[in-house]
Amino acid sequence: MMFQKTPKPPTSITFKTPAEIDKMRVAGRLAAEVLRMIRPHVREGVTTEELDRICHDYIVNTQQAIPAPLGYRGFPKSICTSVNHVVCHGIPGPRKLKKGDVLNIDITVIKDGYHGDTSQMFHVGVPPIAAQRVSRVAYEAMCIGIRLVRPGIRLGDIGHAIQKHAEAQHCSVVREYCGHGIGRNFHEEPQVLHYGEPGAGIELKPGMTFTIEPMINAGRRHVKVMPDKWTVITKDHSISAQWEHTLLVTETGYEVLTLLPGDTL
Ligand code: MF3
Ligand code: CO
Ligand code: CO
């Protein structure tokens, strides 16, 4: 997710040509394939830096692609691993996963100059019911947002629907980080807030590509950044969950660029 800043005029949104859309489809599929590849490795006892190494090697050697996080604004690893009360931007390290952990793995690859960005929640053993619940609410919130995507709708409509669902389930929406336009750049205009007012914000048009990636907390919405300058955690240490897809606005609706053939939302 990007670092939320003062909104810029929508003039810097890039509309992708058919040739660029083809490249975005490839990058999106590769990112999704990394998540599928890593799934059986996410087990009790594995460290998050082992997961990083496996993903890094797969992206670089098998996919012949580039792990976008590595070196991005100084980020030291190739993937983000955000465990339990970590909201996002968790740095892979020597911590071993244990039974009951929930974690987000966020994959962004660059292929042929274009980015694909997707993340999912993973469960180690059977997590506490509250952790399972916030994972599910975050997934539902993302899907509710995605299904609204079509020309003519406004970003505020999407943010509002996501917020309404999360809050109805007694969860909260993180406000400091948001979804983002994506393409040649990892993070482009527009910012895609996961809260908001119906009818507000820019209107979607065909050819736009952006992510929806709500961060949903089981407790209060407030977050803080750890001294490593990256790891974002919930202030109240409640569990946080996130899911992310990269989307294309089509003439009639949307295409999920980070969905594998045969998979559904
Ligand atoms: N993949 C994250 C996103 O969804 C961004 C991670 S930035 C990094 O936008 F530097 F931490 F990798
Ligand atoms: Co993103
Ligand atoms: Co991401």
Side-chain angles (χ1 to χ4, degrees):
M1 56 299 327
M2 73 190 284
F3 314 90
Q4 205 180 313
K5 289 177 302 222
T6 321
K8 290 191 198 118
T11 49
S12 47
I13 294 175
T14 63
F15 292 86
K16 276 70 178 182
T17 64
E20 289 181 294
I21 290 167
D22 280 339
K23 293 181 182 182
M24 293 287 295
R25 286 193 181 105
V26 173
R29 180 173 47 77
L30 291 178
E33 283 173 350
V34 179
L35 285 177
R36 182 177 63 188
M37 178 281 298
I38 201 63
R39 181 161 288 282
H41 297 278
V42 182
R43 303 180 59 109
E44 184 189 6
V46 74
T47 67
T48 49
E49 67 196 359
E50 285 163 354
L51 298 176
D52 176 73
R53 174 53 47 194
I54 297 164
C55 290
H56 176 94
D57 290 349
Y58 184 78
I59 293 165
V60 170
N61 300 325
T62 305
Q63 300 186 326
Q64 305 198 317
I66 299 166
L70 188 59
Y72 180 78
R73 300 189 185 208
F75 191 78
K77 296 286 185 178
S78 296
I79 66 173
C80 295
T81 51
S82 302
V83 183
N84 295 336
H85 68 291
V86 179
V87 173
C88 62
H89 302 166
I91 301 173
R95 178 191 195 293
K96 280 188 165 71
L97 295 180
K98 58 182 194 316
K99 278 193 192 119
D101 283 342
V102 294
L103 70 153
N104 173 279
I105 300 181
D106 193 335
I107 303 292
T108 312
V109 305
I110 311 170
K111 182 72 171 182
D112 210 357
Y114 288 81
H115 290 73
D117 189 7
T118 183
S119 77
Q120 288 181 2
M121 295 301 292
F122 293 79
H123 293 180
V124 183
V126 183
I129 204 83
Q132 293 182 37
R133 203 170 157 277
V134 68
S135 290
R136 176 177 54 77
V137 172
Y139 178 75
E140 290 165 352
M142 176 192 68
C143 292
I144 285 168
I146 290 173
R147 291 189 179 112
L148 289 173
V149 172
R150 61 176 169 77
I153 198 165
R154 290 180 180 271
L155 284 178
D157 299 320
I158 292 172
H160 179 76
I162 289 170
Q163 179 182 12
K164 209 172 117 197
H165 181 70
E167 292 177 355
Q169 301 298 313
H170 308 285
C171 295
S172 64
V173 178
V174 173
R175 305 219 176 168
E176 287 80 357
Y177 303 90
C178 56
H180 50 91
I182 182 169
R184 275 201 172 277
N185 304 298
F186 195 161
H187 297 114
E188 308 181 344
E189 295 300 313
Q191 293 188 20
V192 180
L193 306 188
H194 303 111
Y195 61 94
E197 299 305 323
I202 60 135
E203 188 182 317
L204 299 188
K205 298 200 167 70
M208 291 174 57
T209 51
F210 59 87
T211 70
I212 294 181
E213 50 179 303
M215 285 139 278
I216 305 298
N217 298 346
R220 293 171 61 81
R221 68 174 177 81
H222 304 93
V223 301
K224 63 181 183 191
V225 182
M226 298 290 280
D228 66 19
K229 305 269 182 67
W230 279 105
T231 309
V232 179
I233 64 170
T234 54
K235 263 192 186 161
D236 63 7
H237 285 232
S238 65
I239 300 283
S240 188
Q242 179 179 30
W243 292 73
E244 175 177 24
H245 274 304
T246 298
L247 310 162
L248 165 71
V249 184
T250 64
E251 294 295 329
T252 55
Y254 63 87
E255 181 178 327
V256 184
L257 300 177
T258 43
L259 206 53
L260 293 174
D263 281 3
T264 49
L265 276 185

